[in-house]
Amino acid sequence: MRPRSRFALVAAAALLVSGAFGVAGQSGELPVVVPSLPPRDGSIRNPITFDQLHNFTGPSADGQCLHLDLGGAAFQGAVYAGPYPFCEGASDYDHAAFLLSGTLTNGATDVPAAAFLQDAYNANAWPQGTGSEPPTMTVAYRIDLRSVSGDTVTSYGLYDSLVSFRQEGPSVAKNLTLVEGPYLALVTSDDPPSAAIAWTTDLPATGEVRLRGPLQEDSGESARAREGVCDRLFSQEAPSQWHEIRITGLKPGRTYTYRVSSVAQDGQSAHSSEYAFRAAPARGKGKVRFLFTSDGREGVGGGGQTSMGTNLDVSGRIAREAMRQGADLAVVPGDLVNGYTSSIPDYRLQHGGWKGAWSGFWRTRPVYTSPGNHEALLNVFDDGSAYGLEMDKWPYASESAEAIFQQEFCNPANGPAPSDPRRPPYLETVYSFTYGPILFIALNNNYWWTSDADIPTLGGSPEGYIMEDQLAWAEGAIERGDRSPDVRFIVVFFHEPAFPVGPFSEKGLWWNGDNTVKAYALVGGQVVPQGQGVIDVRNRLWTAFARSRKVAAVLVGHQHAYSRVLIDKHTPVGIPSADDLNGDGKLERYSPNPDFTYPVYQITAGNGGAPPYVYPNRGTPWTAQVISPETGYCIFETDGNSLGFTAYSLNGQILDQVKDLMAVKKK
Ligand SMILES: [Fe+2]
């Protein structure tokens, strides 16, 4: 949730709609009215793009560094650099250690490279390396970026990235670089023999994954030490910057290693380290631990709290906790970044920062994401208000928040198709997968957003709302999980709470009990309502959860605290047909819902980096059992028979614990 001063409703009244379909040739294909207002920028976080952050123009004058030019004379700052990954092969978690510092002056700096071949700094035994393969020599660099204009100094926080280099005679030269990833993805018990490896190169290049294994796990052998294991190559020959290669033939639950390589058209090549990972367990089987966190967007406090749109400090620490706690996977439902931007390059750079914070974990364990309200990517119009009139960016197929989120992540692609093909895709923002005995269902209740007050006039879907097509898909997914003998537990995750606890409780699937809130679409020249009111939608969704004996927990974020609330058929939740006493669509009282057959926990972990809420339990008919504003995360664990969890603060304190989430269903 970003703090917003709600701008006045005059925005809608002031709109001039040009004909029934707005701007000719554009909105005729859109399910929204295009306002006849001048476009303006949204909240663009970053003053530089990915391309500027990687604009290496050649060696430095002395040939020992790589010259980086951000392209703006006003940019000043500090620069830090170190060999990456630090102590390759000895550390099981890829990370940087910054060993040298310098300055960014008038937008330019020299990033040290040859210095890391000197004994004191050479953590990876370059140039020969520590493994059996020649290493790619890569430097992690960090810019603490400021701009200076007259007496005004603006601090933009930390920018982290990577650059590879090679030796050319007495000088160094920039090399093809794996700038993001590799990330392990699509490890699911729906298809244990398969997984995907994804990475990004700074230049178009081919891609190849070398897979080795399975290893004998109890012999203590490493991939490098053992000979004779299966060794397979999976290739992508068409050059591109984005690489996503499916690997197959894995045996459930067994350990493999992989290493990726790319070759650019001019022959430059780059390789990753070698990483060990475990194939997904067979469906219905296995012990599983997973980490749940949300709202890793920027905090307050400077330094790593503000890094490209994400809270690098907190997300980085939670990712390390996920590794040390032995999590097999992580689920993160939204507000990864500040967002609300009108710039696609800015949106991508922000998500690149978040992925970088998780990269040490993500090399070897999958991370599943869904969008929050901050994952907004917008067309913004100047209506005189502070934020402007904001609408999900079109064309939807290529530029919407949903489309770019799908490109930035590698989530399962088995969600619903929109019932109206003019709307944005649900692909990879709404999906399900199994991991061992758990069925995970990811929903997106920040879909196709328009500034909320303008939705009845222009079309769009309010914060927190779930449209009929996604709702029906979710009901079907729960039913299928309920019938499947391999599914022991169902865990649902989405961003905005069904039952908010605390400030900003006006949104989510609650809207302070206002059942008039719903989506609208432009149909046949008229903007018309779509589907049921938000309270009826919430009640249908929760009824689907509560009728199943298998739904262990509903995991949400948005509110920047930890909380646990148990919803059962005695909880005052509100039923529009019974509680709208004066017929205005808003609830005057809050009846319990007899259709909520089994109790279900809603667990909020929006305490993952965004500024904490310290006054969370007020203003709603239901009351949380436990609340804490401490920054932290949750670890869930099943041995196949029961599923429980512990909520930790980042200081190691246990904030809450439920050893058996299913016990409440037996009472
Ligand atoms: Fe949020």
Side-chain angles (χ1 to χ4, degrees):
M1 180 75 202
R2 70 170 162 170
R4 303 173 62 94
S5 55
R6 184 62 258 159
F7 58 89
L9 299 180
V10 295
L15 293 179
L16 297 172
V17 178
S18 54
F21 292 99
V23 178
Q26 189 173 44
S27 62
E29 299 162 8
L30 288 171
V32 292
V33 174
V34 177
S36 293
L37 291 169
R40 52 160 279 190
D41 285 341
S43 305
I44 296 175
R45 162 65 178 81
N46 293 299
I48 57 171
T49 63
F50 177 93
D51 288 344
Q52 287 171 276
L53 183 59
H54 298 88
N55 186 37
F56 288 94
T57 57
S60 58
D62 65 1
Q64 303 304 294
C65 302
L66 299 168
H67 187 71
L68 173 64
D69 186 351
L70 299 185
F75 293 130
Q76 316 295 331
V79 181
Y80 308 94
Y84 185 88
F86 185 67
C87 290
E88 180 180 12
S91 170
D92 67 354
Y93 191 93
D94 277 7
H95 65 97
F98 298 107
L99 305 180
L100 294 171
S101 62
T103 55
L104 179 84
T105 305
N106 301 333
T109 189
D110 291 331
V111 175
F116 299 119
L117 301 174
Q118 299 170 13
D119 280 351
Y121 304 124
N122 195 344
N124 296 333
W126 290 341
Q128 70 272 20
T130 57
S132 56
E133 309 273 1
T136 297
M137 299 186 289
T138 301
V139 174
Y141 60 98
R142 163 171 291 177
I143 301 170
D144 190 351
L145 185 66
R146 299 185 295 278
S147 78
V148 179
S149 177
D151 294 336
T152 304
V153 178
T154 306
S155 180
Y156 293 102
L158 305 183
Y159 288 75
D160 282 7
S161 198
L162 304 170
V163 61
S164 296
F165 71 97
R166 60 183 186 275
Q167 292 175 288
E168 283 190 349
S171 182
V172 297
K174 186 204 154 287
N175 195 69
L176 175 70
T177 304
L178 312 182
V179 284
E180 272 189 19
Y183 300 124
L184 177 67
L186 302 180
V187 179
T188 79
S189 298
D190 297 333
D191 187 11
S194 160
I197 310 293
W199 72 99
T200 305
T201 45
D202 65 334
L203 301 169
T206 60
E208 183 177 89
V209 177
R210 181 176 177 181
L211 179 73
R212 304 182 73 202
L215 307 182
Q216 299 300 318
E217 291 165 58
D218 51 3
S219 69
E221 66 192 338
S222 72
R224 295 193 182 98
R226 181 170 165 80
E227 296 298 327
V229 294
C230 186
D231 196 336
R232 280 165 285 169
L233 294 177
F234 299 85
S235 301
Q236 163 225 323
E237 290 178 4
S240 77
Q241 286 184 255
W242 172 250
H243 312 273
E244 183 179 319
I245 293 186
R246 196 89 176 179
I247 56 176
T248 55
L250 306 172
K251 294 180 180 174
R254 299 296 297 276
T255 299
Y256 295 79
T257 71
Y258 77 89
R259 184 174 200 248
V260 309
S261 303
S262 279
V263 180
Q265 283 154 311
D266 66 359
Q268 296 178 52
S269 63
H271 317 276
S272 74
S273 305
E274 189 167 30
Y275 303 104
F277 72 100
R278 198 160 67 92
R283 195 173 155 96
K285 303 227 166 60
K287 299 177 180 178
V288 180
R289 281 167 81 88
F290 70 91
L291 181 140
F292 159 49
T293 179
S294 186
D295 294 73
R297 69 177 175 86
E298 284 187 332
V300 174
Q305 299 273 327
T306 51
S307 177
M308 301 156 77
T310 202
N311 191 324
L312 174 66
D313 277 357
V314 172
S315 290
R317 284 191 64 193
I318 291 175
R320 283 169 165 81
E321 290 295 315
M323 192 76 170
R324 292 301 147 237
Q325 296 265 16
D328 299 297
L329 66 152
V331 298
V332 193
D335 281 8
L336 318 175
V337 299
N338 289 11
Y340 283 109
T341 181
S342 54
S343 159
I344 293 174
D346 183 45
Y347 191 83
R348 289 191 188 281
L349 187 61
Q350 293 192 39
H351 284 91
W354 187 82
K355 286 185 280 186
W358 274 88
S359 58
F361 178 82
W362 214 332
R363 299 275 191 263
T364 57
R365 330 280 171 107
V367 179
Y368 293 94
T369 56
S370 64
N373 54 305
H374 277 266
E375 268 68 42
L377 176 58
L378 301 161
N379 284 328
V380 185
F381 299 91
D382 189 359
D383 63 355
S385 65
Y387 290 107
L389 196 167
E390 300 165 303
M391 304 177 78
D392 194 7
K393 199 173 192 65
W394 59 76
Y396 294 145
S398 57
E399 298 194 4
S400 62
E402 293 80 1
I404 305 298
F405 190 91
Q406 181 228 333
Q407 291 171 20
E408 287 294 311
F409 294 97
C410 190
N411 290 320
N414 59 1
S419 59
D420 182 343
R422 299 175 304 164
R423 276 199 267 116
Y426 285 118
L427 205 61
E428 299 189 43
T429 70
V430 178
Y431 55 89
S432 69
F433 64 95
T434 57
Y435 199 97
I438 305 174
L439 169 65
F440 291 90
I441 298 174
L443 302 179
N444 175 6
N445 67 343
N446 294 105
Y447 171 74
W448 186 43
W449 182 66
T450 293
S451 297
D452 291 311
D454 301 304
I455 288 171
T457 316
L458 302 179
S461 182
E463 263 194 67
Y465 189 76
I466 293 178
M467 295 187 73
E468 176 63 30
D469 43 13
Q470 185 183 174
L471 179 60
W473 181 87
E475 290 172 325
I478 296 282
E479 282 174 22
R480 284 192 297 280
D482 225 22
R483 286 197 304 270
S484 169
D486 293 334
V487 172
R488 187 76 189 261
F489 311 106
I490 299 174
V491 170
V492 186
F493 60 98
F494 50 90
H495 182 65
E496 296 207 19
F499 297 95
V501 180
F504 305 115
S505 59
E506 75 272 19
K507 302 288 177 67
L509 280 156
W510 174 232
W511 277 84
N512 281 330
D514 184 353
N515 198 46
T516 66
V517 171
K518 60 176 62 176
Y520 285 74
L522 179 66
V523 179
Q526 302 290 321
V527 178
V528 295
Q530 302 284 299
Q532 295 175 281
V534 67
I535 310 300
D536 284 322
V537 167
R538 183 205 62 183
N539 285 350
R540 257 180 71 188
L541 185 68
W542 204 267
T543 296
F545 299 158
R547 279 190 178 157
S548 166
R549 284 187 71 112
K550 296 182 178 178
V551 177
V554 175
L555 310 182
V556 299
H558 192 56
Q559 294 178 291
H560 305 165
Y562 168 80
S563 69
R564 168 167 60 86
V565 57
L566 184 66
I567 302 295
D568 65 19
K569 58 188 167 191
H570 306 297
T571 310
V573 293
I575 301 174
S577 61
D579 296 336
D580 175 15
L581 301 176
N582 62 10
D584 67 352
K586 299 168 186 169
L587 308 191
E588 281 77 40
R589 65 179 188 188
Y590 313 107
S591 299
N593 193 327
D595 293 335
F596 292 177
T597 311
Y598 295 108
V600 179
Y601 289 106
Q602 178 188 273
I603 298 165
T604 305
N607 57 341
Y613 294 166
V614 294
Y615 50 100
N617 200 11
R618 71 179 190 196
T620 51
W622 46 86
T623 303
Q625 283 80 50
V626 179
I627 286 182
S628 171
E630 290 279 0
T631 301
Y633 61 92
C634 299
I635 294 284
F636 286 71
E637 182 172 25
T638 177
D639 58 4
N641 295 313
S642 66
L643 177 66
F645 82 100
T646 304
Y648 295 93
S649 80
L650 271 187
N651 302 320
Q653 181 181 353
I654 291 179
L655 304 175
D656 189 21
Q657 188 171 57
V658 176
K659 290 188 174 168
D660 182 0
L661 287 160
M662 314 310 278
V664 290
K665 301 185 196 300
K666 297 166 189 160
K667 290 174 183 167

